[in-house]
Amino acid sequence: YSVDGSKLHFLRESAGQWHIMRGTVSGGGAASILSGNRLLADLDLPADANMVASVENTFFNGVCTPMDPLLMTLNPNARVASRGNVVADAIAVSPDRRWLAYTHRIYCDAVGSVLLTSNHVCLLDTLAGPAATPVCQDSANVLGVDFGGSGNVIVFSADYSGQNEIWRASVTQAGQLVNFTQLTRGSAGQPSSYPRVSSDGSWVIFSRDVDAGPGENLQAHVVRRDG
């Protein structure tokens, strides 16, 4: 949803073209606001309706295929900030568009792909220009990230307590995470992942695997953002 909750956005593929669609909250009247022939894997929105963040397939060296996190304007269609040669699997942009957060475990180098020990979460300062260096947090198998109604509150899934649970933290001016708070505490073998924050910033919806064995049984759960 848009930051004010008034519009629904989603991805659609048609005849080899990928589109970011925008319509009413009921899904009606949807029209493409950004399209291209490169795979789009995720999207998020700042408050500025002329901007969209997405994960886009790019081409590197024929051996490794990056999925780059980027922030773009729609009119004119131009990149505001991006990080190349990583394989991002989730993205979030702060409502004020200051921070672009993404998670990844793989990045591309000159000879192929490099696998990190676990998923990282990185924050890119979009106001620092194209040469900005992302600030990446210690590896903790981060699965999903979102901003909590403001630019300095972030929620994510991480394994700091024996399995993945939903955490909240504050973002400093330097892009570091501080003031960690654990929001969920599932039974053993029932991890939580891929959180998203409601438009009013009050609730976090997330996925929990309630099958404690080797199988998978995913359910949607909600928790208050204040814990």
Side-chain angles (χ1 to χ4, degrees):
Y1 290 94
S2 56
V3 170
D4 65 4
S6 67
K7 296 291 184 181
L8 176 69
H9 296 70
F10 58 94
L11 300 175
R12 171 175 286 165
E13 188 271 336
S14 176
Q17 288 281 306
W18 284 86
H19 303 269
I20 295 178
M21 310 293 293
R22 178 165 63 199
T24 66
V25 293
S26 64
S32 174
I33 60 172
L34 184 67
S35 63
N37 61 0
R38 295 181 176 182
L39 170 69
L40 298 173
D42 197 10
L43 69 95
D44 198 28
L45 305 154
D48 186 342
N50 192 45
M51 286 186 170
V52 62
S54 65
V55 175
E56 180 184 82
N57 166 238
T58 58
F59 305 98
F60 183 51
N61 59 10
V63 178
C64 184
T65 302
M67 297 296 293
D68 292 345
L70 55 93
L71 178 66
M72 300 186 68
T73 56
L74 300 175
N75 185 24
N77 186 215
R79 289 194 178 202
V80 176
S82 63
R83 181 62 175 172
N85 300 338
V86 300
V87 184
D89 55 18
I91 193 171
V93 60
S94 59
D96 61 4
R97 76 90 149 173
R98 167 73 186 277
W99 297 106
L100 187 67
Y102 60 93
T103 63
H104 79 106
R105 188 178 183 184
I106 301 171
Y107 67 89
C108 300
D109 66 9
V111 296
S113 59
V114 177
L115 181 67
L116 303 174
T117 56
S118 185
N119 257 26
H120 287 57
V121 61
C122 301
L123 286 97
L124 187 68
D125 187 345
T126 70
L127 303 182
T133 300
V135 178
C136 296
Q137 312 301 318
D138 290 339
S139 177
N141 194 37
V142 178
L143 300 175
V145 62
D146 200 14
F147 284 92
S150 67
N152 67 339
V153 177
I154 197 169
V155 296
F156 55 97
S157 167
D159 183 2
Y160 293 131
S161 58
Q163 68 180 18
N164 273 73
E165 296 292 350
I166 307 302
W167 291 76
R168 186 188 73 229
S170 300
V171 183
T172 70
Q173 286 296 310
Q176 299 286 349
L177 298 187
V178 296
N179 302 327
F180 290 79
T181 301
Q182 186 174 348
L183 298 182
T184 65
R185 289 172 175 82
S187 300
Q190 298 186 9
S192 303
S193 58
Y194 296 102
R196 285 294 189 182
V197 181
S198 62
S199 296
D200 64 3
S202 299
W203 295 91
V204 181
I205 187 168
F206 61 96
S207 176
R208 184 185 294 284
D209 180 6
V210 298
D211 186 331
E216 189 175 69
N217 182 7
L218 298 175
Q219 293 183 357
H221 288 238
V222 293
V223 63
R224 279 177 48 150
R225 199 200 72 182
D226 62 8

